[in-house]
Amino acid sequence: MEKIDNLDRQILEIIMRNARIPSKDVAAECGVSRAAIHQRIQRMIDMHVITGSGYHVNPKSLGFRTCTYIGVKLEKGSMYRDVVPELEKIPEVVECHFTTGPYTMLCKLYARDNEHLMELLNDKIQHIKGVVSTETLISLEQSMNREIPVMKE
C-alpha cells in the first residue's frame, strides 16, 4: 500500500479543519500548485485515506433528542454478518461495531424520545433473529467529537 508523506499530512490537517476550503488556499498554505493539491487529494481518496467529506447535521434539529448506545448480545458471534443488514434497515441506527467484551455488538442510534427508543428496541432490534439481549446506555451529553490527529512521521 502506498504511504502518505508529510505534504499529504499537511493537506489533511488543513482540510480536516475546513472541508470547504478552496484548493487555491490549501495550495498557498502548502507552497505547491493547485493541481498538486487536487492530485494528492484524489490519490488519498483512491487510497481510502480520505473516506468522505460533507456537512454534519445536528440530530436534535431534526427532532432526534435521544442519543443512545445499545450493547447487543447475539446467540453466536458469527451471526454478526446476518444481523448487520437487519440493523441497516433501521434508519435511526447510525453506527454499529463488532466488539470484544460483554457485547457482541455496540450500536449507536438516535430516537425522538424515550417512547420512540422503546419502540426501536422492543419492536425492531430485539426482534432480529440472533439477538439474545440488549443493554441501553443513554448519552446525557456529547462532551467531545473529533477526528484522529494527523501526526508527522
Side-chain angles (χ1 to χ4, degrees), residues 8-9 13 18 20 23 34 39 72 78 86 120 124-125 130 132 138:
D8 292 329
R9 291 173 189 280
E13 285 178 357
N18 178 5
R20 297 179 63 198
S23 295
R34 192 168 25 172
Q39 289 169 352
V72 180
S78 61
E86 296 304 310
L120 291 169
K124 294 187 178 182
I125 295 172
V132 175
I138 295 175

Side-chain angles (χ1 to χ4, degrees), residues 71-84:
V72 180
K73 291 185 182 179
L74 302 180
E75 286 176 37
K76 296 183 289 188
S78 61
M79 298 182 85
Y80 172 75
R81 286 183 178 84
D82 299 322
V83 172
V84 170

Side-chain angles (χ1 to χ4, degrees), residues 4 6-7 12 28 38 58-59 65 69 74 79 81 89 95 124 131 134-136 138 141 146:
I4 62 171
N6 284 335
L7 178 56
L12 287 171
H38 280 290
N58 180 351
R65 305 200 59 76
Y69 294 87
L74 302 180
M79 298 182 85
R81 286 183 178 84
K89 294 176 184 175
E95 282 185 39
K124 294 187 178 182
V131 172
T134 60
E135 186 170 340
T136 305
I138 295 175
E141 176 182 67
R146 63 181 177 193

Side-chain angles (χ1 to χ4, degrees), residues 75-134:
E75 286 176 37
K76 296 183 289 188
S78 61
M79 298 182 85
Y80 172 75
R81 286 183 178 84
D82 299 322
V83 172
V84 170
E86 296 304 310
L87 289 167
E88 287 175 335
K89 294 176 184 175
I90 305 169
E92 294 89 347
V93 176
V94 297
E95 282 185 39
C96 186
H97 302 266
F98 187 39
T99 62
T100 61
Y103 311 114
T104 314
M105 303 167 71
L106 187 64
C107 300
K108 179 179 178 180
L109 65 81
Y110 288 97
R112 290 185 299 277
D113 51 33
N114 287 350
E115 185 178 329
H116 183 216
L117 174 60
M118 196 168 84
E119 289 171 21
L120 291 169
L121 288 168
N122 294 342
D123 300 338
K124 294 187 178 182
I125 295 172
Q126 292 172 351
H127 281 255
I128 295 172
K129 186 176 190 252
V131 172
V132 175
S133 66
T134 60

Side-chain angles (χ1 to χ4, degrees), residues 52-77:
S53 65
Y55 300 99
H56 299 281
V57 177
N58 180 351
K60 289 180 182 177
S61 68
L62 300 176
F64 292 90
R65 305 200 59 76
T66 304
C67 174
T68 308
Y69 294 87
I70 309 291
V72 180
K73 291 185 182 179
L74 302 180
E75 286 176 37
K76 296 183 289 188

